[in-house]
Amino acid sequence: MSTATTAGPELRKKKTDWAGIFSSFGIVLIVIYCLAPFYWMFVSSLRPDTEIFENSWWPRNPSLENYEAVFSAKNNFASGLVNSLIVSVIVTVVALAVATFASYALARLSFRGKSLLLLVVLATSMFPLVAILVPLLKNFAAWGWINTYQAMIIPDLSFSLPLAVWNLTSFFRQMPIELEQSAMVDGCTPGQAFRKVILPLAAPGIFTTAIIIFIGAWNEFLVAVTMINDPMMQPATVLLSKFTGAAQFNTPFGSQMAAGVVMTLPLVVMVLLFQRRIVAGLAAGGLKS
Amino acid sequence: MNTSTYSAEVVNHRSKASKAQARLAWTLMIPTIAVLMIVIIIPVFQSLYQSFFGKAGLDPETGFVSETEPFIGLANYADIFTEAGERFWIAAYNTTLFGVVTVVLETILGVAMALIMHKAMRGRGFVRAAILVPWAIPTAVSGILWGWIFNQNGVANAIIGQHIMWASGDAAAKLTIIIADVWKTAPYIGLLTLAGLQVIPDEVYEAAKIDGANAWQRFTRITLPLVKPALVVAVLFRTLDALRMFDLPYILIGPRKSSVETISMLVQDEASNLRYGSAAAYALILFLYVFIFAFAFVKITGADLGASVEKKRRGPGGRLNASVFLPRRRRSPQPVALTEGGRS
């Protein structure tokens, strides 16, 4: 320490370099930590069946046979992806449509019972999904809704709607109030100001929330595994967990890994493209600033 | 703010406008309230009602086979203290173990990651993208992925040079779940902590350095207290998530495995075997457990949740002035006074 003060800028520079090296090393460790399992899944998915238990860094004879197996008619995996897509898109659209109005009211208008409503929304977002599973299962069975899309979509709203309300409220609150005020000075009604001024400007926040909800709905498993037993209606998450190989006791690790890559790749691409937005959205949801 | 300073006419306008605003607000809230009623609030009460009923088919009084479920009062709850409760207590133990251990580990790892990322100058965007990958991977996928890694012939055994049967041992299966869950969630804590770190002004550290605080003191006296509000909320959300863990053990180890069965898995198993009453009872016990945990956590740590929503209003945003809800022609005389009076 004392040398740094006497020896001038050279030594001091060396010292900051050490911190730099240390943090670069840490960064490399973090990246390996996060990506290594995913890399392993990718590599394993390219190994032909005969080499599946080899542990080389890269398959000796990379092949796409696992991907062919995943999309063979036996597995229904393509229809599983379509089911996942349908459910996730509808959940996202419905949750956003409903939540946008509520969040605007919560962020901008004053009315009695607002704090209570915010607390209810927060409480419901912490809710264990399994606590509502039994009555929903019974109701849906009575209504003949087992193996339908709505049997997945409606329970999914219980986690996506509070999340959307919470995120969008904090987003609307960050927008300057002058926007609406000047619109209304120019003769808009509050409703028009919301539609024509606020909504277009809120598009980035709504988009961020949409991605987070979509990923949540795409990953959902508990509801689907309980409500859906027809393989043609199951979403990709459930199908993946039930993949069977040629023989009964032969777990098809290769095709499982290939299916995992197929299910994850769209999300990884989304994350890469919109990482800045997603982090902002997660921070808004988690920090409530 | 004292309303008596305004003329009677203004006060009248004002309250009319407030009413208009409240009416609009409730109209906008109705769809959300309706959906939350349908998907959460009503089912919870149905669940409570259901938990007082036994399984259809065995009427304890008459002994006849019946289609209707018999009312058995609190028997489902009392059952957890009898032989039938053994499975419940194992599940409760697993739930608590996973909840506590994974959250402690991921908090330590997450904070370490956040500190490193905060220091690092280069490659921040790339790291941020990489750190989101475990978060984005579906739990179902990470379940089969870690199942593959911890396969008897898998890469984990190859690295440590052992032949451990991870999935069948009791402690090994638990460890597998903990590793897989920490991998997925530590980066998430790291991200939220990083967001908290980035709002601490550099001057605070400069001042502490001048006062002679060493790195450890700066960490414990400045970083931790200032990042605490963000961290506490992140940890709370993660803990509640961990207490309802379902997908990972279900897929990685399998259903009905006592080594890793959580309360959520128990409930799902009971419900899919048509034992709705006991499933509902166990679900409500979990609900209560999660609720008490969250309540105690908020009380002890002073986590700033719902309260912060109303109090912290320093940003550029704000509330709409009630007067904008007045019909145009009637607003003319005192708009200035109204805006100045403002709402606090």
Side-chain angles (χ1 to χ4, degrees):
Chain A
M1 282 304 262
S2 58
T3 47
T5 47
T6 52
E10 278 169 29
L11 260 183
R12 199 174 291 165
K13 203 178 164 203
K14 209 171 191 176
K15 203 178 141 209
T16 53
D17 270 349
W18 267 112
I21 288 167
F22 177 74
S23 67
S24 307
F25 183 68
I27 287 290
V28 172
L29 274 187
I30 292 175
V31 172
I32 292 175
Y33 172 94
C34 291
L35 297 185
F38 185 67
Y39 173 79
W40 195 247
M41 177 161 74
F42 179 66
V43 169
S44 303
S45 74
L46 295 176
R47 288 187 212 277
D49 236 17
T50 48
E51 293 176 20
I52 188 72
F53 286 111
E54 283 184 21
N55 289 317
S56 53
W57 288 105
W58 184 250
R60 276 185 294 126
N61 308 301
S63 90
L64 291 176
E65 68 178 50
N66 290 323
Y67 288 86
E68 283 164 27
V70 164
F71 287 105
S72 70
K74 175 176 74 96
N75 280 326
N76 293 327
F77 194 67
S79 77
L81 289 173
V82 173
N83 291 336
S84 285
L85 193 67
I86 292 173
V87 170
S88 310
V89 167
I90 296 179
V91 166
T92 309
V93 169
V94 172
L96 280 179
V98 171
T100 306
F101 295 121
S103 328
Y104 184 74
L106 289 171
R108 282 293 207 257
L109 307 177
S110 73
F111 56 99
R112 207 178 293 168
K114 180 154 94 170
S115 307
L116 181 72
L117 278 177
L118 273 166
L119 220 64
V120 168
V121 169
L122 181 70
T124 49
S125 70
M126 297 177 176
F127 201 78
L129 191 57
V130 78
I132 53 171
L133 200 68
V134 174
L136 290 181
L137 179 61
K138 273 197 88 178
N139 292 349
F140 292 174
W143 301 338
W145 276 16
I146 299 301
N147 291 325
T148 59
Y149 287 125
Q150 63 267 33
M152 290 184 265
I153 291 165
I154 291 173
D156 279 11
L157 287 174
S158 71
F159 62 79
S160 54
L161 183 63
L163 183 82
V165 170
W166 201 253
N167 252 331
L168 288 175
T169 302
S170 78
F171 187 81
F172 279 131
R173 207 171 267 141
Q174 285 162 12
M175 293 171 66
I177 187 80
E178 288 78 19
L179 289 171
E180 287 116 302
Q181 278 169 346
S182 59
M184 282 181 278
V185 167
D186 291 345
C188 284
T189 65
Q192 285 171 328
F194 175 67
R195 247 192 348 266
K196 295 182 177 166
V197 179
I198 296 303
L199 219 47
L201 286 169
I206 294 175
F207 181 69
T208 304
T209 311
I211 294 175
I212 295 174
I213 293 176
F214 181 88
I215 291 179
W218 181 266
N219 296 357
E220 206 288 322
F221 181 79
L222 171 60
V223 170
V225 83
T226 311
M227 305 286 179
I228 312 294
N229 50 42
D230 174 4
M232 289 308 289
M233 283 299 293
Q234 278 167 343
T237 44
V238 176
L239 278 175
L240 174 66
S241 73
K242 301 195 163 154
F243 261 10
T244 47
Q248 202 188 345
F249 296 105
N250 174 13
T251 314
F253 291 111
S255 12
Q256 281 190 341
M257 294 304 121
V261 171
V262 171
M263 275 194 71
T264 311
L265 217 53
L267 304 189
V268 171
V269 170
M270 251 195 238
V271 159
L272 291 177
L273 287 178
F274 306 114
Q275 41 102 356
R276 202 178 287 269
R277 285 196 177 293
I278 294 174
V279 172
L282 287 179
L287 300 179
K288 323 282 168 339
S289 56
Chain B
M1 207 186 84
N2 195 347
T3 38
S4 65
T5 53
Y6 297 119
S7 68
E9 194 195 352
V10 174
V11 173
N12 194 20
H13 274 181
R14 173 79 192 284
S15 70
K16 237 181 214 168
S18 301
K19 265 184 201 156
Q21 193 171 111
R23 206 176 312 126
L24 175 68
W26 281 104
T27 315
L28 294 176
M29 289 301 302
I30 282 172
T32 297
I33 295 170
V35 174
L36 290 181
M37 284 296 270
I38 293 168
V39 297
I40 294 184
I41 295 164
I42 293 173
V44 166
F45 285 103
Q46 282 185 304
S47 222
L48 184 64
Y49 179 71
Q50 179 70 53
S51 71
F52 300 131
F53 288 84
K55 188 169 160 50
L58 27 116
D59 191 328
E61 276 176 27
T62 60
F64 286 116
V65 176
S66 151
E67 280 296 296
T68 50
E69 297 172 330
F71 180 83
I72 55 167
L74 294 172
N76 281 324
Y77 296 94
D79 272 356
I80 66 170
F81 299 107
T82 65
E83 265 177 68
E86 199 187 343
R87 192 172 166 208
F88 170 81
W89 289 111
I90 291 173
Y93 170 75
N94 287 341
T95 304
T96 311
L97 180 83
F98 292 148
V100 173
V101 175
T102 58
V103 172
V104 168
L105 288 178
E106 76 182 55
T107 306
I108 295 170
L109 261 176
V111 171
M113 285 182 184
L115 289 172
I116 291 170
M117 287 188 286
H118 192 52
K119 278 269 154 55
M121 295 296 153
R122 274 162 299 176
R124 232 184 232 179
F126 177 68
V127 176
R128 202 162 37 186
I131 213 168
L132 278 171
V133 167
W135 169 79
I137 287 187
T139 313
V141 174
S142 92
I144 61 143
L145 167 58
W146 286 97
W148 168 231
I149 291 174
F150 285 113
N151 183 269
Q152 200 197 338
N153 301 312
V155 68
N157 277 342
I159 290 172
I160 59 174
Q162 307 255 343
H163 266 275
I164 299 174
M165 305 275 283
W166 293 93
S168 30
D170 185 72
K174 286 186 170 72
L175 185 64
T176 310
I177 300 295
I178 289 169
I179 291 173
D181 195 59
V182 168
W183 170 73
K184 187 170 169 57
T185 49
Y188 175 80
I189 292 261
L191 265 179
L192 294 188
T193 311
L194 179 64
L197 280 179
Q198 282 169 341
V199 299
I200 302 177
D202 284 340
E203 291 80 33
V204 184
Y205 288 104
E206 299 292 332
K209 256 184 203 169
I210 290 167
D211 289 346
N214 64 31
W216 177 249
Q217 283 169 329
R218 290 199 298 273
F219 175 68
T220 54
R221 305 270 172 83
I222 300 173
T223 310
L224 275 188
L226 285 178
V227 90
K228 189 188 146 198
L231 189 60
V232 159
V233 174
V235 167
L236 174 64
F237 273 70
R238 276 300 318 146
T239 313
L240 300 185
D241 233 20
L243 289 177
R244 57 193 173 192
M245 191 190 289
F246 176 83
D247 321 16
L248 193 64
Y250 186 94
I251 295 169
L252 184 43
I253 306 294
R256 288 184 290 281
K257 297 275 167 58
S258 64
S259 59
V260 295
E261 188 168 64
T262 62
I263 298 181
S264 286
M265 291 165 78
L266 177 61
V267 172
Q268 200 270 346
D269 190 48
E270 292 283 288
S272 51
N273 283 308
L274 306 182
R275 287 189 292 272
Y276 295 123
S278 58
Y282 294 147
L284 285 176
I285 293 174
L286 175 65
F287 177 38
L288 209 64
Y289 183 41
V290 167
F291 177 79
I292 290 172
F293 187 94
F295 188 78
F297 191 90
V298 170
K299 280 282 169 233
I300 291 168
T301 60
D304 199 10
L305 292 169
S308 68
V309 176
E310 277 307 283
K311 282 176 199 155
K312 287 183 191 162
R313 187 183 291 284
R314 286 162 300 177
R319 256 183 221 163
L320 280 180
N321 193 305
S323 68
V324 303
F325 288 86
L326 287 177
R328 224 137 237 298
R329 53 198 151 75
R330 293 171 59 189
R331 205 194 308 167
S332 40
Q334 275 99 359
V336 180
L338 272 177
T339 357
E340 272 174 6
R343 321 191 99 252
S344 53

